[in-house]
Amino acid sequence: MPMRVAVAVSGRGSNLDALLRTLAPGRTAEVVLVLGNRAEAGGLDVARARGIPTVVLHDPTDAAAWLDALGRARADLLVLAGYLKLVPPAVVARWRGRIVNVHPALLPAFGGPGMYGRRVHEAVLRSGATESGASVHLVDEVYDRGQVLAQERVPVLPGDTPETLAARVLAVEHRLLPAVVLAAAEAGRPVPVPASDPCPAR
Ligand code: GRF
């Protein structure tokens, strides 16, 4: 049986789209539900276009709403793909070790409250760092603190803007997140994915 994956989104959903393109029918994991904290999130349209059930979390702090939606979908794994709110503590407690998030920086650097989207890349450029990258990590009660399962680095190039750096990092995110999901489907739970193995041919 494929691993049943629920994905939470807040924005356009390009990571969700990349995941769906990787998880073609017959693969070891399947997206069975997409949750959004904003009804207008583009990621919900990405899901609907593929006939995947969606749920809008009108109150994203309501743990019962999460647990009800995840339970009805019989989900095994929860993936945060551009989801910008904290997952309620009661959901983290019930789902500990089975929630992963993708972050557009090399955690633990450039993570934490308020560090999302353009702000991350602005902070990297301001710091003078010569490299950045993407991280996929386990989710706990604190933003971006959980164990890092996979990371891939990219160079920061002369003349980079937050937009050009974000685009280079996003291309890595689109490979790294599916790799972690496929490895989780193989192992039955999220596991570390070695850097040299960004997207194994399973
Ligand atoms: C990604 O860069 C992700 O790392 C961050 O938010 C962005 C969302 O992108 N958390 P998308 O909605 O998946 O296109």
Side-chain angles (χ1 to χ4, degrees), residues 54-198:
T54 61
V55 167
V56 177
L57 299 163
H58 296 290
D59 175 3
T61 68
D62 177 2
W66 281 87
L67 294 171
D68 180 61
L70 294 168
R72 286 169 189 275
R74 293 181 295 110
D76 305 306
L77 178 71
L78 174 58
V79 172
L80 309 185
Y83 185 75
L84 302 181
K85 299 283 185 191
L86 274 179
V87 175
V91 176
V92 173
R94 282 271 292 275
W95 278 72
R96 198 173 301 283
R98 295 189 292 152
I99 314 176
V100 300
N101 178 52
V102 61
H103 183 77
L106 296 173
L107 293 173
F110 306 108
M115 290 302 273
Y116 57 86
R118 193 176 197 280
R119 296 176 183 190
V120 173
H121 307 294
E122 284 172 343
V124 170
L125 292 173
R126 257 198 318 275
S127 77
T130 57
E131 61 178 11
S132 186
S135 306
V136 179
H137 62 96
L138 287 174
V139 170
D140 64 17
E141 291 82 356
V142 177
Y143 279 117
D144 306 325
R145 182 182 67 177
Q147 177 196 351
V148 173
L149 298 174
Q151 265 185 342
E152 195 172 318
R153 297 165 185 276
V154 300
V156 176
L157 302 174
D160 258 337
T161 63
E163 288 71 27
T164 58
L165 181 56
R168 194 171 311 120
V169 171
L170 194 63
V172 169
E173 294 178 54
H174 289 172
R175 284 201 310 276
L176 212 58
L177 185 59
V180 168
V181 171
L182 286 170
E186 201 77 22
R189 60 182 174 79
V191 290
V193 173
S196 60
D197 182 12

